[in-house]
Amino acid sequence: IMHDRSALRTTGTDTFIDQMTLEQVRELDAGSMFSPAFAGTKVPTVAEFMHWVKDTNLLVNWELKDYVQDVGRERAFACADKLLEAIEQAGMSDRSMVNSFDNEVLGHIYRKAGKRYPIHGQGIGPCARHQVLSDISDEEMFDWVCMYANVSGGSPLDYPENFTYCLDRGILPCVCIKDTEENYRRACRIDALSRKTGHSVTALALAYLTSNPVVTYPIIGCGSMNTLRDSLAEPDVALT
């Protein structure tokens, strides 16, 4: 498990993971760059991670980083297939979702598994961040999409039409923004204007503004995954 294709940012070794053997990856030190207390920490395998979380109620968002343009279609699809197989063998299909910046990989998963796993895209329409596009429509494939700014240096909240686009198609928008009251208020206004309730932007904003604890933190409403709590509160509360 590695956040980037390159191991540089997390281990100090400037090598692509897909060009290393497992033995070579296991020799990397994934802790020293963060604190001497973590020196010698090994890069975990998918199997090890699954073992750690199997007895919890955690929902897992698996991000596939083997992109078609980097490693080729055969290898990218094989990586996705192996992950789905591991998820099934671990009995984690009911609490797993998949995401990628490569829509061709996500399209492969959708064709293979249908709606068994919620699919999380990276941007949509003008704010798309996909490495490769798919011939499957947004509303058919995506369950959840991270929102970005349409232009560099902007904020996702500057483009409420992107949120409306998602909600009108039954897609759950989520957003990564600086933790400020103004940003949360803007997120709530977007929700109120869209006349939709129960999506993650509202849940975050209301939890922040009203100090009400979110007992069951929502991830996505699809299939057998935990559904969003649309009874959390009315969005207009945050605007008063």
Side-chain angles (χ1 to χ4, degrees):
I1 294 179
M2 181 69 64
H3 188 276
D4 305 323
R5 184 189 182 198
S6 171
L8 178 63
R9 186 153 63 114
T10 53
T11 72
T13 301
D14 191 8
T15 306
F16 289 150
I17 292 295
D18 54 80
Q19 296 176 5
M20 303 174 69
T21 64
L22 176 59
E23 290 74 20
Q24 290 172 328
V25 173
R26 297 293 275 178
E27 291 176 357
L28 298 174
D29 181 349
S32 293
M33 291 186 63
F34 300 93
S35 168
F38 302 130
T41 299
K42 302 298 182 184
V43 176
T45 65
V46 170
E48 287 173 337
F49 174 79
M50 288 179 167
H51 176 76
W52 294 334
V53 303
K54 67 178 182 179
D55 295 326
T56 72
N57 61 355
L58 290 175
L59 306 180
V60 182
N61 185 348
W62 302 96
E63 183 173 353
L64 288 152
K65 292 293 186 80
D66 280 325
Y67 304 144
V68 169
Q69 70 175 24
D70 293 331
V71 302
R73 187 172 288 105
E74 182 177 357
R75 179 160 184 162
F77 288 3
C79 177
D81 291 343
K82 287 182 178 180
L83 175 61
L84 297 186
E85 181 181 354
I87 291 171
E88 292 292 334
Q89 290 178 348
M92 293 182 59
S93 59
D94 63 337
R95 52 194 180 106
S96 291
M97 66 183 300
V98 292
N99 92 82
S100 179
F101 280 87
D102 190 330
N103 271 15
E104 192 171 357
V105 170
L106 294 179
H108 170 75
I109 293 173
Y110 178 79
R111 290 187 175 93
K112 187 180 182 75
K115 288 294 185 179
R116 184 164 178 76
Y117 305 99
I119 292 180
H120 165 198
Q122 297 290 344
I124 202 164
C127 71
R129 294 295 186 272
H130 311 301
Q131 296 287 336
V132 181
L133 298 179
S134 171
D135 58 352
I136 304 173
S137 68
D138 293 337
E139 53 264 46
E140 181 180 357
M141 184 164 67
F142 293 132
D143 299 287
W144 187 20
V145 168
C146 282
M147 309 305 290
Y148 297 91
N150 291 4
V151 297
S152 178
S155 166
L157 300 178
D158 295 335
Y159 305 92
E161 64 274 15
N162 292 341
F163 291 82
T164 301
Y165 176 92
C166 287
L167 293 168
D168 286 346
R169 288 161 177 77
I171 301 170
L172 177 68
C174 65
V175 61
C176 180
I177 52 179
K178 289 184 178 180
D179 190 15
T180 66
E181 182 172 333
E182 175 57 26
N183 276 341
Y184 282 98
R185 289 187 180 278
R186 291 181 67 194
C188 281
R189 292 190 186 100
I190 290 174
D191 181 53
L193 289 172
S194 69
R195 299 302 173 191
K196 304 287 185 178
T197 61
H199 62 79
S200 59
V201 173
T202 296
L204 282 171
L206 290 173
Y208 178 86
L209 291 173
T210 66
S211 297
N212 290 330
V214 182
V215 178
T216 303
Y217 204 78
I219 300 297
I220 193 161
C222 174
S224 58
M225 295 285 282
N226 287 352
T227 57
L228 291 172
R229 296 176 59 207
D230 57 7
S231 59
L232 179 66
E234 290 296 327
D236 290 341
V237 169
L239 303 180
T240 59

